Amino acid sequence: MIYGSAHAKLIKSDIAIIGGGVAGSAAAAMLGKSGHDCILIDPHEVYPDDFRCEKLNRPQMQTLENMGLANAVFKSCTPIESVWISRLGHLLNKVNYPHYGFSYQTLITAIRDDIPKTVKKVFSKVKTIENTATKQTLTLVDGTQVTCRIVIMANGLNPGLRRQLGVEQEMLSRHHVMAVGFDLKPENNNNFGFESLTYWPEKVSSKMAYFTAFKNDGKFRANLFGYWKRDEETILNLQTAPEEALTCLMPSLEKTIGKFSVDGRVHVRPIDLYQTHSHTCDGVVFIGDAYSTSCPGAGTGVGKALIDVKQLCGTHIPDWLESNELSAKTIGDFYKDPEKLESDTDSINGAYFLHGISTKLGPGWSGRRWIRFIYHFARGTFLGIPFRNSSI
Ligand SMILES: Cc1cc2nc3c(=O)[nH]c(=O)nc-3n(C[C@H](O)[C@H](O)[C@H](O)COP(=O)(O)OP(=O)(O)OC[C@H]3O[C@@H](n4cnc5c(N)ncnc54)[C@H](O)[C@@H]3O)c2cc1C
């Protein structure tokens, strides 16, 4: 059911979801499939083309399976079976590692296509929010009012509504990491030999976390993560002369994958790590990036958002709907959910570990880098053992 401004000025629902990115769309699909009365509000009928998460690993797909949402997503992504791993400029290993390439827009479209027709959708922006333990009122930019019992805040980085609720945000690490995304082409339109490549830095002084290139929709997409400032030479060069900049960062890349060129625009996004506090307010719950952001290099953002949705919509909301009041204290139980806590902790630890292993000198970090090198070298050279986990 789609509402436009001409049709509705007052909409009532049990649950209102603000934001239709991965968190909000998955919540709408899961709640709708369970027969709950809910409404999804997002300004865009089709999620805009945006540089965000562009691949999922097997555990993340497994979470979607557990939520009953994997079929639609699986059909829209490019399955990848194996990955080449290069460390310190040496190709060490070619291993089985199932994962899935897509554009963020494709992922969201697939999840939204799986939302049952019973879920109301409004393509507009929420302007104001008023909350109590029994009734929440949202006012949209066109004046439409939405009243409900529970509001799910899945509105990502947007601070306006959070401030209206008096909810604080703590900046954990400003410009924690730089994410760079672009299409990569093999010379003469030949194929690269790999389906997916993970290329760890050749030296610590490059400030690079890692480079990855993977199949997506008949092309190769590349993501590069590192700890450069916005105005640093590496970033400027990546935007003006990307092939030279990549060769400068990874002198052995061409030897490993053959001649390549960068096709089209180079997207550059500095990423902050922040955490929402005072988030226990009556009737309103925060999920996904609206609750806390993640390091894209650690690859935990979508997994974390999906665990939020799975636990919230599968465990907590059905209980909450049984009672007449939804106090801040009750909402607080969600933030203490053990599975959510574990996923949040893994995400933040992953962000700092990647930073440490990529940039820190000293025997501890250097030792870790060498252990990883020797481990992959031994597996690739002597044992030929494929990986089963996500530690590559
Ligand atoms: C460059 C980059 C690369 C990344 N790479 C990875 C990766 O490899 N692996 C990984 O797991 N994660 C990655 N991430 C993180 C991941 O993309 C995010 O954690 C995830 O997309 C967050 O989803 P979300 O639904 O919480 O927020 P979003 O997708 O941002 O959705 C928020 C939605 O809310 C809507 N909205 C905002 N304000 C309002 C309002 N007032 N009213 C109505 N709607 C509103 C917006 O229009 C938007 O649709 C990456 C992120 C970036 C930026």
Side-chain angles (χ1 to χ4, degrees):
M1 203 180 306
I2 297 176
Y3 289 83
S5 54
H7 299 111
K9 286 295 167 202
L10 178 64
I11 306 170
K12 287 187 186 173
S13 207
D14 277 342
I15 307 156
I17 303 160
I18 307 181
V22 70
S25 301
M30 208 176 153
L31 290 169
K33 284 174 187 240
S34 308
H36 292 296
D37 172 26
C38 64
I39 178 168
L40 176 66
I41 308 162
D42 189 276
H44 305 287
E45 190 158 354
V46 176
Y47 197 95
D49 191 15
D50 194 14
F51 173 37
R52 306 292 294 265
C53 177
E54 298 185 318
K55 59 178 171 172
L56 289 182
N57 60 22
R58 186 66 208 132
Q60 289 164 334
M61 192 59 102
Q62 182 67 54
T63 305
L64 280 164
E65 269 170 39
N66 296 342
M67 296 162 76
L69 304 178
N71 282 348
V73 172
F74 191 75
K75 276 189 233 144
S76 69
C77 65
T78 302
I80 299 166
E81 285 301 324
S82 62
V83 60
W84 289 11
I85 299 168
S86 175
R87 286 179 187 270
L88 303 175
H90 300 273
L91 181 61
L92 295 185
N93 222 341
K94 298 177 182 178
V95 297
N96 290 340
Y97 177 69
H99 54 296
Y100 312 85
F102 50 80
S103 74
Y104 193 62
Q105 184 187 46
T106 315
L107 174 74
I108 304 307
T109 303
I111 297 176
R112 285 192 188 178
D113 285 348
D114 213 16
I115 299 174
K117 298 259 180 295
T118 47
V119 173
K120 301 176 253 296
K121 288 185 196 147
V122 176
F123 300 113
S124 180
K125 202 166 178 176
V126 179
K127 194 170 155 200
T128 64
I129 177 165
E130 289 163 55
N131 67 312
T132 69
T134 50
K135 183 182 171 189
Q136 327 311 327
T137 307
L138 309 177
T139 306
L140 312 191
V141 283
D142 65 1
T144 297
Q145 282 210 327
V146 177
T147 60
C148 61
R149 292 168 64 193
I150 304 171
V151 170
I152 300 178
M153 296 282 273
N155 59 337
L157 308 176
N158 193 325
L161 298 176
R162 180 177 51 73
R163 287 199 191 116
Q164 288 176 34
L165 292 164
V167 169
E168 305 287 327
Q169 209 171 60
E170 181 187 353
M171 181 63 73
L172 302 176
S173 179
R174 184 177 292 283
H175 290 187
H176 179 79
V177 68
M178 195 66 85
V180 185
F182 49 88
D183 290 341
L184 196 72
K185 256 181 33 182
E187 199 186 58
N188 302 329
N189 283 332
N190 288 332
N191 220 336
F192 290 124
F194 58 82
E195 286 187 285
S196 177
L197 164 84
T198 304
Y199 195 102
W200 296 89
E202 295 184 27
K203 40 187 189 328
V204 179
S205 58
S206 67
K207 295 202 250 177
M208 181 178 135
Y210 67 93
F211 169 81
T212 172
F214 49 93
K215 274 195 333 192
N216 176 35
D217 203 14
K219 293 192 201 168
F220 277 89
R221 186 71 183 157
N223 290 175
L224 170 69
F225 303 103
Y227 301 94
W228 312 285
K229 295 200 168 40
R230 192 85 173 82
D231 56 359
E232 230 173 278
E233 207 181 340
T234 301
I235 288 297
L236 301 176
N237 290 345
L238 278 165
Q239 288 170 299
T240 50
E243 291 85 359
E244 287 82 350
L246 290 169
T247 304
C248 186
L249 271 176
M250 298 172 277
S252 301
L253 180 63
E254 194 178 297
K255 191 181 77 196
T256 309
I257 67 170
K259 280 198 186 306
F260 60 85
S261 61
V262 170
D263 195 21
R265 186 175 157 198
V266 175
H267 297 256
V268 172
R269 290 278 291 268
I271 309 287
D272 299 330
L273 290 185
Y274 65 73
Q275 165 75 54
T276 302
H277 287 298
S278 323
H279 41 260
T280 44
C281 48
D282 292 342
V284 182
V285 60
F286 289 74
I287 60 170
D289 277 11
Y291 178 71
S292 65
T293 52
S294 61
C295 166
T300 52
V302 165
K304 184 174 78 62
L306 292 176
I307 295 289
D308 279 0
V309 174
K310 181 170 85 67
Q311 293 308 103
L312 178 69
C313 302
T315 305
H316 297 273
I317 284 191
D319 281 352
W320 293 348
L321 288 170
E322 295 291 315
S323 82
N324 294 328
E325 283 201 352
L326 190 50
S327 67
K329 188 166 175 298
T330 308
I331 295 265
D333 291 343
F334 167 68
Y335 302 114
K336 290 185 230 140
D337 180 289
E339 202 172 329
K340 172 178 168 52
L341 277 177
E342 190 186 341
S343 127
D344 289 348
T345 307
D346 284 354
S347 177
I348 196 74
N349 288 347
Y352 287 119
F353 181 79
L354 185 63
H355 182 258
I357 201 145
S358 309
T359 60
K360 296 239 160 73
L361 300 168
W365 289 108
S366 189
R368 283 184 178 97
R369 281 188 287 273
W370 276 106
I371 287 166
R372 286 186 148 207
F373 178 87
I374 292 161
Y375 178 69
H376 281 258
F377 179 72
R379 286 181 81 110
T381 310
F382 303 120
L383 304 175
I385 297 172
F387 273 85
R388 295 275 171 239
N389 60 30
S390 60
S391 65
I392 54 174

